Amino acid sequence: MCGIVGITRDTSVAGDLIKYLKKLEYRGYDSAGAAFSDENGLERVRRVGKIANLEKALEKGYEKYTCGIAHTRWATHGGVEERNAHPLFSSDGRVAVVHNGIIENAAFIKEKILPEGETFASDTDTEVIAHLISFYYENDPVRAVAEATSRLEGSYAIGVMFSDRPGEIYASSLHSPLVIAQTEDGSYLASDVLALPDRAKEIYRPGKGEIGVLSGKSVDFYDVSGNRLEKRPSEVGDSEKDVGKGSYEHYMLSEIMQQPEAVGNTLRELVYGGEVHVESVVGDTFISDKMDQIYIVACGSAYHTGLVAQLLFEKYSRVRTSVVLASEFRYASPILDKNTLVIFVSQSGETADTLAALRLVKETDAKTLSIVNVKGSSLWIESESSILTRAGREIAVATTKAYSAQLAAFYALALKFAYLRKGLSPEEYAAKCDALLELPEKIALTINMTRNKIVSLAKRIKDEQSAFYIGRLLDGASAAEGSLKLKEVSYINSQCYAAGELKHGTLSLIEEGTPVIASITQSGVAAKTLSNVSETKARGAYDVVITFEKYADICKDASELIIIPETDEIFAPSLTVIPMQMLGYYTALYRGCDIDKPKNLAKSVTVE
Ligand code: AGP
């Protein structure tokens, strides 16, 4: 998960390369670099660390360049050193490459294709691309890129420049996002629409084997045989624009506050007239008469929304449902047939493991449906049917508003499936649809009701070494997400456990003052979870209970009681997660962490 940008035009590009590269910093920030081309050949500058280090290096002496490519890196092959920073050059210095993805057959290419004794300046897989393009380059750049990329295995989005082709950038991609635009002032490429000029209203996405040629005056496309292609651009979707962070200090807090709107916008498209509208998704007949198995496949927080959905699908639709991490699913032996529905969930729509799982399932008779937040993303394009969450562009690495929008989409699906399969009466269905539509307002109320307590709780736990999140059933799903939110932004070692599991080992880790955060909203197991909380308290834990007012009395002995608004308990995960998100945010704030760009992470994991 790196980010690439490229610009060629009549005016200086160094400043805008940095400007647009910063829009991609969420994709990785171990090192950054740029290369420029003019009639004197290629010039390169690279720095370890944040893009600001490269920006400083480019402050003077680079204004003359009007064509350049740049890159921000999340290290996969090769350590975080300047020599491994992109752009990488061929050994003869004729070719410069920036790359996002992983070349899985780099070693094979080095040993079997490139000339013996070829020297490499880096430990990266990417450098092989530069060498290979140069190896095939005999004054025909398109052919050289075509020959080289046809031999690559894995994933790539590349920007290429040649020392003897000043002002030209060549681009190609496979299984990694790449967008290209032509505006009135020049040609642009980027890993993400976010890193294109706002005035770019139409974009091109190169298909497999297509090579883009950016000249500044135009963008042209060719196939691997060098034939000119007529490509139609697509409009930039609203879900792809950066809405900014408003007056908030961080995107994460801004996006927490945007959740009522994100959930409201998502539900508005799915639930109206007292019922759920997802007809175009997989067909009502399939749902009611044929579907006998559901897999939910995702990573990280998206996976946690699947934990919620599984419980609801099985309870109300009586359909066998499995939730599987995409990185596991793609190497396991799932049983898929024409009566199976596989639901893929992803904010970015570019997560490599989730995409790989989708591509596997598409080789079977199973039906595929994706819940995705970015229109035009690979997952959105490649799924048979999609539900677009309307959270808007999410920048913070720690997802919040997209997570909540995914939950909303799953609730709508669960109600629709239940209704079609007679798991809910028409009256129950209508009542739950009404309750669902109240969620945006209840999320806003939850933020207001719990924020001050969470701020003081964050101050209390900020120096803890560990924390535990516990719950049962839907509360357990929330606990999983709450734990991830805390650990990924505050770096506190937070673990999530099914509340009933603590006594089978984890209880040994409870020390005096260890924070244990429990959500208690599910009527059938509330008392059970409370007794698990008491077991931790008896061993010194600082127990925090997130619950409805109606359970406040039985929870009155908790060290900290966080009350959330009443709602139909099947929708409780949307409310219990709010204080947990804010706890992660404020704890990270008081620990001085880089909240929007946590160490070692990136927003879109486009590599395995
Ligand atoms: C969540 O806060 C994390 N950033 C991460 O777990 C994320 O949910 C996961 O990488 C999946 O990303 P996706 O939704 O874009 O596929």
Side-chain angles (χ1 to χ4, degrees), residues 62 69-70 118 136 147 181 189 307 312 417 483 560 576 583 606:
Y62 297 88
I69 53 179
E118 184 101 345
Y136 290 112
E147 289 289 346
L189 70 80
L307 298 174
L312 300 182
F417 288 5
S483 175
E560 191 85 60
T576 52
L583 185 58
T606 57

Side-chain angles (χ1 to χ4, degrees), residues 299-302 345-349 351 397-399 406 484-485 488 605:
C299 302
S301 293
V345 195
S346 176
Q347 187 287 126
S348 62
T351 299
V397 165
T399 183
Q406 288 162 359
L484 177 59
K485 286 286 97 49
E488 76 172 317
V605 185

Side-chain angles (χ1 to χ4, degrees), residues 28-29 80 132 170 183 210 222 228 250 358 409 461 475 550:
Y29 25 87
V80 181
L132 203 54
Y170 295 77
T183 66
E210 295 179 352
Y222 299 84
R228 179 93 181 271
H250 299 98
L358 168 72
I461 73 165
D475 286 327
K550 64 186 175 186

